[in-house]
Amino acid sequence: MKSEKEKMLAGELYDPRDTELQRERRHARLLTKAFNDTSDDQGSKRKRLLLELFGTMGKGTFIEPPFYCDYGGNITLGERVFFNFNCVILDVAQVTIGNHVMFGPNVQVYTATHPLDAEQRRGGLEAAKPITIGDDVWIGGGAILCPGVTIGARSVIGAGSVVTKDIPEDVFAGGNPCRVIRSLVNDASR
């Protein structure tokens, strides 16, 4: 029989009240609180806390506090990733972020989802879908990435967008719901 964590990572309905999952979330909360309480002159402490928090973190990653996540260990960060202030990642499923990715302030990344059926929701079960962000992506401030989306390499997501479907490579996309506005191929501004 699968554990609740195995169900969670497999994208199946699971019970978030499971003791192991509660313990892991509590550990992440303690690490993010310690990180968020650091000052700008505590770079090595910040790095140590982030290395303990994340599954994988590439060189040159920089995160402005405050930062919040559910587990941390389900987040894989490439090299030179930048998060501006107040970003949130609900990493109930895997979140894979490529190299040279930039997040504006208040970006929200949600892998968590809940059943549409009220009876199932009342039972407290939830599920998740992984999110993937390709290399050289820029996510504008206040954008929300919904469960299961993929953002193609070199694309730009406009500020305030709500991404509900996959976005291909090399495009500028924006709006609610987010849609492709134009190609960035051969665009001198990129």
Side-chain angles (χ1 to χ4, degrees):
M1 189 158 147
K2 287 184 179 178
S3 70
E4 295 303 310
K5 182 175 182 175
E6 289 169 331
K7 291 179 199 174
M8 177 183 84
L9 295 174
E12 300 170 12
L13 288 175
Y14 73 96
D15 185 349
R17 299 164 295 195
D18 176 72
T19 306
E20 176 186 17
L21 295 177
Q22 287 183 33
R23 184 176 56 252
E24 288 184 16
R25 284 193 307 272
R26 189 170 26 259
H27 180 69
R29 299 294 191 281
L30 292 171
L31 288 172
T32 55
K33 178 168 182 1
F35 173 78
N36 292 335
D37 287 346
T38 60
S39 59
D40 283 344
D41 62 348
Q42 294 179 296
S44 14
K45 181 176 182 179
R46 283 181 176 177
K47 183 177 181 180
R48 180 182 54 76
L49 290 165
L50 292 176
L51 285 169
E52 186 176 345
L53 178 65
F54 294 126
T56 303
M57 184 175 81
K59 288 191 255 182
T61 291
F62 187 84
I63 298 176
E64 289 281 9
F67 170 81
Y68 304 96
C69 65
D70 273 333
Y71 294 93
N74 299 325
I75 301 170
T76 300
L77 300 172
E79 293 187 1
R80 302 195 59 82
V81 172
F82 172 74
F83 284 90
N84 213 320
F85 301 102
N86 207 40
C87 289
V88 174
I89 300 180
L90 302 184
D91 62 314
V92 177
Q94 185 65 39
V95 175
T96 305
I97 299 170
N99 299 313
H100 304 276
V101 174
M102 299 187 313
F103 291 81
N106 299 304
V107 170
Q108 315 291 298
V109 178
Y110 303 149
T111 66
T113 186
H114 300 276
L116 295 178
D117 179 76
E119 185 90 16
Q120 284 183 316
R121 277 196 315 275
R122 203 174 300 123
L125 298 179
E126 58 185 51
K129 296 177 184 175
I131 292 177
T132 302
I133 301 169
D135 292 342
D136 298 298
V137 168
W138 173 20
I139 310 286
I144 297 172
L145 307 185
C146 292
V149 300
T150 294
I151 310 293
R154 299 169 303 282
S155 286
V156 176
I157 305 299
S161 297
V162 178
V163 182
T164 60
K165 295 186 181 231
D166 292 353
I167 301 297
E169 295 182 348
D170 297 303
V171 299
F172 172 70
N176 181 5
C178 189
R179 63 180 175 75
V180 174
I181 295 172
R182 67 183 169 96
S183 172
L184 295 177
V185 176
N186 297 321
D187 184 343
S189 67
R190 78 170 180 137

